[in-house]
Amino acid sequence: MLYCHAILPKAGLGNRLFPWARCRVFSFKNNAAMLHPTWAQLRIGPLLRRESDLRLYTDLFKAGPDELTSMTRLFVKLSSRWEHEDDEIREFAGNSNGKSVIKVFTGERDRFRQLNGWHEFLNAQLHAITKPKWRDAVKQIKHVPIGMHVRMGDFVVADSDPDNPHQRVAHSWYLQCLRAIRAAAGHPVPAIMVSDGREDELEDLLAEENVSLVRTGSAISDLLVLARSEVLVASAGSSFSAWAAFLGQMPSIAHPSRGFDWFNLRTEKNCYVGGFDPVDPPESFLRQVETIFGRSTGKQTTPRRQKFSFSEVEASK
C-alpha cells in the first residue's frame, strides 16, 4: 500500500500549508491514503510578543474524510517504510521487505511552483478540513471588494533590524495603494482589513474612508476571507498573503521590495500578481481594477469604522 504524510514545520500557517498541499495533491494523483497531519504546535515567541494569534492551531481543522487517524494512523507509521517525496515511486507488491510505503512531504520547497493550477482543488480541500465554526465565520463577511493584509506580529519595524528580512511595510504604502485603487475605480471601494496588529496600531489605516477591520477569531478564517477578495493588497514577504492570492486568483499587489517572485506564484487568468509602486503604478494592474470595479462618480460607502468579531456573532445566535 502507498500512503503519504505531511510533516509540518514549526511556523506560521502559510508555511505549514506548503507540505500539506503537496501531500494532498500527491494523495489525489496516486490514490494514496493520507495520514492526518499534526496541525497543533507550541510556539513561545507569539506568546512573549503578546500577539493576537498565538499560532497554536489546535482548533482549526478536522480530519478529511479520507485521512487516516488515531490507531490506524499509528499502525501505518510503525509498519511502513518511509521515503522522501523525491524518491521514485516503485511497485509495492513485490518490494523486498514486504512493507507498505509512506511518502513524506516536508518544508516549503519551491513554494507554489508545483501547486500552480491546483488552486480550485486545494481551496475545496482546505474548506473541507476547516471546522464548521470557522467556515461560518467566513460566511459572515458577505463581500470583500478590496482585501488588505497588514502583518505586524513577528515582523519588525522597518529599518530597525536591517538583517531581518521580515520587516513591516510602512502604513503609508498601504494608504497610497488603497487610494490608487480607488482612483482607478472612480469611487471609494470598501476595503476589508485583516491584521494581527492592535487597533491602536492600525488607527491611521482605520481612519481612511470605508476601511473595516475584521477579526474572525482564527488564522484559517482570516485566510479564507482574504482569499475572497476581488483585489488583494498583500503584506510583503508573507506566505499567508501569498496563499490568499493563490487561492483567490485575483489581482494582487505587494511592496516592490518584497513582491511575489519568491513564491513562484502565477494565476490562471493572467491577473496581475507582483510589486506595486504607488509613484509609478503598473498600468496592467490599474486596468484590471477598472474592469473589476468599473468607473463611477457615484459615492458608494459603508460605515467609516466597522468591526467584525466572530465571538459577537456567536453570542447573537
Side-chain angles (χ1 to χ4, degrees), residues 2-222:
L2 175 62
Y3 303 94
C4 57
H5 182 39
I7 299 179
L8 311 183
K10 289 187 179 298
L13 180 61
N15 290 336
R16 290 164 73 81
L17 285 175
F18 286 119
W20 166 82
R22 296 198 311 276
C23 187
R24 185 71 266 180
V25 170
F26 178 90
S27 172
F28 175 78
K29 292 171 67 175
N30 296 279
N31 196 27
M34 182 173 174
L35 279 62
H36 181 55
T38 302
W39 290 101
Q41 65 177 354
L42 177 62
R43 299 189 69 193
I44 302 300
L47 180 63
L48 294 177
R49 291 188 293 268
R50 299 182 180 180
E51 296 178 24
S52 60
D53 181 7
L54 298 180
R55 304 182 207 179
L56 303 178
Y57 308 138
T58 56
D59 190 37
L60 302 188
F61 303 109
K62 60 181 182 177
D66 59 345
E67 290 182 354
L68 304 182
T69 60
S70 306
M71 295 304 297
T72 304
R73 175 179 180 268
L74 178 60
F75 174 78
V76 169
K77 290 177 72 173
L78 294 176
S79 61
S80 302
R81 185 177 74 248
W82 292 49
E83 291 184 353
H84 190 268
E85 61 184 290
D86 287 339
D87 293 342
E88 181 181 357
I89 299 176
R90 291 171 282 176
E91 295 295 331
F92 303 102
N95 62 45
S96 59
N97 59 15
K99 287 188 175 183
S100 296
V101 171
I102 300 175
K103 301 292 286 187
V104 181
F105 295 77
T106 60
E108 298 177 36
R109 297 292 299 274
D110 49 8
R111 274 71 62 185
F112 291 105
R113 190 181 301 279
Q114 298 179 53
L115 303 175
N116 285 317
W118 287 91
H119 53 279
E120 291 185 359
F121 171 79
L122 291 171
N123 200 355
Q125 294 297 310
L126 197 54
H127 276 81
I129 65 172
T130 298
K131 289 191 173 181
K133 65 179 179 180
W134 303 127
R135 294 202 304 266
D136 290 343
V138 176
K139 292 176 184 177
Q140 298 298 324
I141 312 300
K142 303 301 182 184
H143 188 207
V144 188
I146 300 173
M148 296 174 61
H149 179 215
V150 183
R151 180 74 172 268
M152 306 286 279
D154 57 344
F155 277 35
V156 300
V157 176
D159 300 325
S160 64
D161 182 2
D163 295 328
N164 191 332
H166 302 299
Q167 298 192 24
R168 298 177 186 176
V169 172
H171 286 185
S172 58
W173 179 81
Y174 288 99
L175 290 172
Q176 289 174 315
C177 290
L178 183 58
R179 291 165 184 169
I181 291 170
R182 289 172 166 176
H187 59 88
V189 182
I192 301 296
M193 179 168 58
V194 169
S195 177
D196 57 356
R198 300 187 310 272
E199 189 170 344
D200 62 288
E201 295 177 304
L202 305 168
E203 189 66 34
D204 53 346
L205 296 174
L206 291 171
E208 197 76 0
E209 183 182 12
N210 283 0
V211 175
S212 303
L213 176 63
V214 168
R215 303 254 195 223
T216 66
S218 78
I220 184 57
S221 44
D222 280 354

